[in-house]
Amino acid sequence: MDKSFLGKMLAGGVASVLCLVAGSAMAEVQTVRFARQLGLGYLQLYVAQDLKLVEKHAKEAGLGDVTAAYTPLGSPSAVNDALLSGSAEFAAAGIPPFLILWDKTRKSADVRALATLNSQPAYLNTNKPDVKSLADFTEKDRIAVPTVKLSYQAIILQMAAEKQFGDGNYAKLDNLTVSLSHPEATISLLSGKTEVSASFTSPPFQYQQLESDKIHRVISSYDVLGGPGSFSALWTTAKFRENNPKTAKAVLAAMDEASAFIKENPKQAAEIYIRLDNSKLAPDFIEKIITDPEIQYSTTPQNILKYTDFMARVGTLKNKPATWQELFFPELHDRAGS
């Protein structure tokens, strides 16, 4: 056999192998799994699931037929566990649980957020007529939050306690908190037959609770923050984003489209939420919440540093970000966040 021909064959074979290896290295995931908490704070994910928006934008990015899967979980700790264990590529929960994970993984998984999801008030409601402020709670009371000391509501309660009881007293009510998912806390509060006398929750559950004349609001998170602030976010690891850059951009594009859809089609968004959540709430009730001026669906961060300033000061965060951009991947850095 001609040696030059043999050399060409070998060179061609090596080139083919290199192309296969390069193609394999560049391949992005074909399934994107989302772990999320419950409620209207995650409405973009409900809309994206129903309208297959991640699949749409992945195909437009040249990724082919990508499948998105969504798992609802009752607590932020379960959501973060799903991400860190590799059973989900993206996690969606409240801002404080994200900040704590960002802080803990800076030298390992390097978790950062791809987007926020919305700004909405969280209400602390009670079935005790005599409780008008935080100072009225006693050792007999129990305040339900999604996860003690970790969830959005648990951190907001600490911020509120310090305002109520003075500097350094942020943990004064921590011993009264118990971990319950929003649906479980709502059932307990409305029944009035358990130790739970208050629920720090979120839409739609807080409004469902207030439908009862036996429930009243004690505080809103907006009272504590001095106005609106991002409630929830969507985050992943730096490794996933690095290995799947087109997928990450497709997910962000899907969240942006879902945000616009909610604003333009609140009635349809309400119907999607009810159907996917198997909710018995009336569509008009959900639509009214979605269109409440206090609630904004946006992927752009709002007042994030109000959380980090407090959490760093009391030691919940060891590292304090100087800017909100430190917490988010570059895809969001050019937006007018705060």
Side-chain angles (χ1 to χ4, degrees), residues 40 43 46-47 261-262 265-279 281-291 297:
L40 290 172
L43 186 55
Y46 288 83
V47 170
F261 179 90
I262 293 165
N265 306 279
K267 180 179 177 64
Q268 286 178 261
E271 292 169 351
I272 289 171
Y273 173 80
I274 288 170
R275 177 161 29 85
L276 294 186
D277 213 50
N278 295 315
S279 175
L281 296 173
D284 290 348
F285 181 73
I286 298 298
E287 183 182 358
K288 183 179 179 181
I289 296 171
I290 293 173
T291 56
Y297 288 94

Side-chain angles (χ1 to χ4, degrees), residues 113-190:
L114 185 68
T116 55
L117 294 175
N118 84 341
S119 295
Q120 65 179 23
Y123 292 171
L124 173 60
N125 294 333
T126 183
N127 58 16
K128 299 283 285 292
D130 295 337
V131 174
K132 306 298 183 184
S133 73
L134 298 186
D136 297 324
F137 285 110
T138 72
E139 291 298 319
K140 295 180 180 180
D141 292 304
R142 292 296 177 268
I143 303 169
V145 295
T147 301
V148 299
K149 297 185 179 182
L150 171 67
S151 61
Y152 175 94
Q153 290 81 358
I155 297 298
I156 291 293
L157 183 62
Q158 289 186 340
M159 295 172 73
E162 188 168 70
K163 281 191 172 186
Q164 177 76 55
F165 302 110
D167 291 348
N169 287 304
Y170 62 90
K172 188 173 180 66
L173 299 178
D174 280 6
N175 64 313
L176 303 184
T177 59
V178 294
S179 297
L180 280 179
S181 70
H182 296 314
E184 292 173 322
T186 298
I187 292 170
S188 294
L189 190 67
L190 290 173

Side-chain angles (χ1 to χ4, degrees), residues 7-24:
K8 290 178 181 177
M9 289 285 288
L10 289 171
V14 170
S16 297
V17 170
L18 289 175
C19 285
L20 285 171
V21 171
S24 175

Side-chain angles (χ1 to χ4, degrees), residues 323-335:
T323 66
W324 66 265
Q325 285 92 340
E326 288 184 44
L327 304 165
F328 291 80
F329 287 116
E331 285 82 354
L332 227 61
H333 288 184
D334 62 349
R335 304 197 183 188

Side-chain angles (χ1 to χ4, degrees), residues 232-305:
S232 54
L234 183 70
W235 55 89
T236 188
T237 63
K239 182 178 180 180
F240 177 82
R241 175 187 167 272
E242 181 180 348
N243 292 341
N244 302 274
K246 290 184 178 180
T247 303
K249 289 180 180 178
V251 169
L252 178 56
M255 296 303 107
D256 281 331
E257 184 173 346
S259 299
F261 179 90
I262 293 165
K263 184 176 181 179
E264 296 166 7
N265 306 279
K267 180 179 177 64
Q268 286 178 261
E271 292 169 351
I272 289 171
Y273 173 80
I274 288 170
R275 177 161 29 85
L276 294 186
D277 213 50
N278 295 315
S279 175
K280 295 181 180 179
L281 296 173
D284 290 348
F285 181 73
I286 298 298
E287 183 182 358
K288 183 179 179 181
I289 296 171
I290 293 173
T291 56
D292 187 324
E294 284 195 320
I295 298 177
Q296 306 166 32
Y297 288 94
S298 172
T299 56
T300 300
Q302 187 176 25
N303 286 327
I304 295 294
L305 297 185

